[in-house]
Amino acid sequence: MTKNGQPKIVIIGGGTGLPVLLRGLKKYPLDITAVVTVADDGGSSGRLRDDLDIPPPGDIRNVLAALSDVEPLIEEMFQHRFKTSNELAGHSLGNLILAAMTSITGNFVHAIQEMSKVLNVNGRVLPAAAESVILNAEMEDGTIVSGESKIPYSGKRIKRVFLTPEIAHPLPETVHAIRQADLIIIGPGSLYTSILPNLLVPKLGQEICRARAKKVYICNLMTQAGETLDYTASDHVKALYDHMKSRFLDTILVNSENIPSSILDRYSEEYSKPVHFDFTQLYELGLEVVQGEIMTLENGVIRHDTKEVANILYSILLNETKKRFKA
């Protein structure tokens, strides 16, 4: 815990799932550290990464916005995406500001720290690695696909993913946060392109596996074509274990809420369906299974319910704290 008695949590992920979770957790008395992937190579982030030789700012931007405590208009401005037909097309203002701040300070991490002050961020936001990495996937037929944005569209099943350069370095602050954490949360997010790029940073993954904190995996609500087609909950966990060569998770959080058939029909057009929670296999993997009505709909899109998930995680954390005091 921190000096003021707040429990320390580390949340690891990227994509759209991580900001959703953080919007709920920031309302609790917690010392939050968000560790965010730097493997994104698509869209505005990819262009800035290639043009300016900086880590991709997009996932970092979304997490900063989620943890910010500023007027809604300021957050909306930070997240604004230009729709012009010139070079600004597709760029978000927040990405450009982070790129500018990196140029001014000469350091991407310093840029994040300065933007955290401007946005009055509740917690710390840290990139998973000190430098950009490229995510690669080896498919079941042996072919290699390079680039996070290209992997889901290869039309082949993924055997494993790996980073280049292989020797990527986590920040000392990240390692310290993991060692001091009371709870480590992994997910939600795309298994191969949002979660594993963090864990595959060598020392980062090793620190997570041997950390004393309880480790909770928030399972995805739906399968994802190009990544987890027909995956069960235990398939997600096994992929994590296979990559880390360790059974490092303690708990999995799964959804118990029914999804409307009209929504399922639309998702089926994208070859996506609810993740099947195969409890027997999960128990055999040594996991505690926590169920909850953790789904919500946003404009017809299935998302984790940020309030409910945050409430469950906070309850898990309080229970762990009580156990430690009793011990």
Side-chain angles (χ1 to χ4, degrees):
M1 290 192 179
T2 57
K3 292 180 181 178
N4 61 7
Q6 289 186 337
K8 296 181 177 182
I9 64 170
V10 174
I11 307 152
I12 297 160
T16 58
L18 185 57
V20 168
L21 174 59
L22 290 170
R23 289 185 186 280
L25 284 172
K26 74 176 181 180
K27 301 182 185 303
Y28 289 83
L30 297 168
D31 181 349
I32 299 172
T33 299
V35 180
V36 189
T37 177
V38 286
D40 187 11
D41 66 347
S44 169
S45 287
R47 289 161 60 192
L48 290 171
R49 170 179 175 153
D50 293 340
D51 292 346
L52 303 177
D53 192 26
I54 63 171
D59 283 354
I60 296 284
R61 182 197 83 241
N62 286 328
V63 169
L64 287 170
L67 286 173
S68 68
D69 184 17
V70 291
E71 293 297 326
L73 185 61
I74 300 299
E75 182 184 341
E76 186 178 350
M77 179 183 71
F78 187 67
Q79 292 285 59
H80 176 73
R81 193 173 295 276
F82 294 98
K83 297 179 181 178
T84 61
S85 57
N86 56 25
E87 290 183 357
L88 280 176
H91 281 305
S92 71
L93 182 59
N95 284 359
L96 296 175
I97 293 173
L98 280 168
M101 194 73 77
T102 302
S103 178
I104 291 167
T105 63
N107 185 290
F108 186 58
V109 177
H110 289 170
I112 297 169
Q113 292 170 344
E114 292 304 315
M115 282 309 306
S116 295
K117 296 175 187 175
V118 171
L119 294 171
N120 195 20
V121 165
N122 180 13
R124 285 178 298 174
V125 180
L126 299 171
E131 59 276 321
S132 293
V133 294
I134 297 172
L135 183 66
N136 310 276
E138 180 186 355
M139 301 302 173
E140 287 189 345
D141 67 357
T143 59
I144 303 294
V145 177
S146 294
E148 179 267 342
S149 62
K150 300 180 182 67
I151 291 169
Y153 301 100
S154 67
K156 300 174 181 179
R157 287 184 68 88
I158 299 170
K159 180 180 179 182
R160 69 180 182 105
V161 290
F162 59 97
L163 301 178
T164 49
E166 293 182 8
I167 305 175
H169 303 282
L171 299 171
E173 302 98 301
T174 307
V175 173
H176 180 74
I178 291 167
R179 290 176 178 175
Q180 297 298 312
D182 297 298
L183 186 71
I184 295 173
I185 302 164
I186 297 168
S190 298
L191 176 63
Y192 289 105
T193 55
S194 291
I195 305 294
L196 278 166
N198 296 290
L199 302 180
L200 290 172
V201 175
K203 194 173 181 182
L204 179 57
Q206 293 165 9
E207 290 289 344
I208 291 167
C209 288
R210 61 176 173 235
R212 64 178 180 83
K214 185 165 189 171
K215 303 167 196 72
V216 179
Y217 173 54
I218 303 176
C219 193
N220 289 343
L221 302 168
M222 305 293 290
T223 61
Q224 186 176 353
E227 286 204 41
T228 54
L229 186 67
D230 294 328
Y231 271 39
T232 64
S234 68
D235 288 332
H236 284 75
V237 173
K238 287 173 185 174
L240 293 170
Y241 286 180
D242 287 346
H243 280 79
M244 301 311 298
K245 305 292 190 293
S246 171
R247 290 191 172 196
F248 64 98
L249 298 172
D250 300 298
T251 302
I252 183 169
L253 175 57
V254 301
N255 176 49
S256 62
E257 190 171 359
N258 290 325
I259 301 173
S261 58
S262 59
I263 301 298
L264 293 179
D265 289 342
R266 186 170 64 77
Y267 270 81
S268 67
E269 296 174 4
E270 302 171 5
Y271 302 100
S272 178
K273 62 184 181 182
V275 173
H276 171 62
F277 302 115
D278 45 350
F279 293 101
T280 300
Q281 286 77 13
L282 292 172
Y283 293 137
E284 287 175 353
L285 289 169
L287 290 168
E288 171 193 27
V289 180
V290 176
Q291 301 180 65
E293 295 187 351
I294 58 173
M295 185 217 73
T296 189
L297 293 172
E298 294 181 7
N299 300 317
V301 178
I302 295 171
R303 292 276 185 258
H304 282 87
D305 185 325
T306 181
K307 291 182 180 179
E308 187 59 28
V309 173
N311 182 52
I312 292 171
L313 291 172
Y314 191 65
S315 297
I316 291 173
L317 182 57
L318 291 181
N319 288 334
E320 285 301 300
T321 304
K322 288 177 184 176
K323 288 179 186 176
R324 284 180 191 164
F325 277 121
K326 287 180 180 178

